[in-house]
Amino acid sequence: YLMNFTYGSERPKESINGNYYDRVIPNYFDPKDFPFREEKEDWFFYIGRMIVRKGVWTAIQATQAIGAKLILAGQEDPEINTKNLPSHCKFVGYLEPEQRADFMGRARAVFVPTLYLEAFGGVNVEAQLCGTPAITTNFGVFPETVIQGVTGFRCDTLQDFVRAAKLVTALDPKTIRRHAERYLMDSVKYE
């Protein structure tokens, strides 16, 4: 999808021909970095830069609406005051790779509600490799990486995010992991 968007936005007024050799090569991951975990705990996770464009407030509002705990991690930015978050939120700061995978594996779901056209959004695949559903927006790369109602949910409104947060426990962690394995190093190297 994004390759076609790029063609159209770079040359919007001219006839566009595709090129047989153009490719979008996805990120690739080492399965050892994101261990599968079937059992989930009773909280949600957001990891990313603490900026509005990454959809932090969407994750906060959706979890608040259902009375759920939200753990947030990532690089601080003056745009979001991490010292003054709602009471259902806990900011844990920057996480090392092993810590990140541990949090992703234990979370009920990982929010990736990016407001811009995310080119890949590796966090959503990292979460899925851990067997954890991703709750994302419905644009950018997410129609390619998140199977609606199977590996997570793609949302268009705050109400969709709230509904997704309520439904994620019905998703199968093993199915989620199997889908995400298409982004492992051994798969992507043939792209």
Side-chain angles (χ1 to χ4, degrees), residues 6 9 12 14-15 21 30 60 68 71 94 107 116 118-119 131 136 147 154-155 163 165 191:
T6 302
S9 62
E14 60 186 78
S15 174
Y21 297 98
D30 186 331
I60 290 171
I71 296 178
Y94 178 82
Y116 59 89
E118 184 80 62
T136 71
I147 300 174
R154 298 185 319 270
C155 306
R163 182 175 177 272
E191 290 293 323

Side-chain angles (χ1 to χ4, degrees), residues 31-151:
K32 295 183 301 241
D33 293 338
F34 301 97
F36 174 76
R37 183 177 174 132
E38 189 162 7
E39 296 300 317
K40 305 300 176 188
E41 296 179 13
D42 195 21
W43 47 268
F44 292 85
F45 189 50
Y46 166 90
I47 184 167
R49 288 172 288 153
M50 300 302 290
I51 60 174
V52 172
R53 290 186 75 212
K54 292 298 269 183
V56 175
W57 289 116
T58 300
I60 290 171
Q61 291 173 318
T63 52
Q64 189 169 33
I66 65 168
K69 181 177 178 181
L70 175 66
I71 296 178
L72 301 104
Q75 180 180 345
E76 289 189 84
D77 187 280
E79 202 172 282
I80 305 287
N81 183 351
T82 58
K83 309 242 183 315
N84 193 27
L85 294 170
S87 61
H88 74 287
C89 298
K90 179 181 179 184
F91 179 70
V92 295
Y94 178 82
L95 298 177
E96 295 295 333
E98 299 82 20
Q99 295 171 304
R100 183 179 74 218
D102 177 57
F103 274 82
M104 285 180 176
R106 292 187 294 130
R108 185 186 301 173
V110 173
F111 276 92
V112 192
T114 309
L115 300 176
Y116 59 89
L117 295 178
E118 184 80 62
F120 189 77
V123 166
N124 87 92
V125 174
E126 293 170 354
Q128 291 179 58
L129 285 168
C130 295
T132 303
I135 302 175
T136 71
T137 47
N138 195 24
F139 42 78
V141 73
F142 302 122
E144 295 180 46
T145 58
V146 177
I147 300 174
Q148 185 73 352
V150 178
T151 65

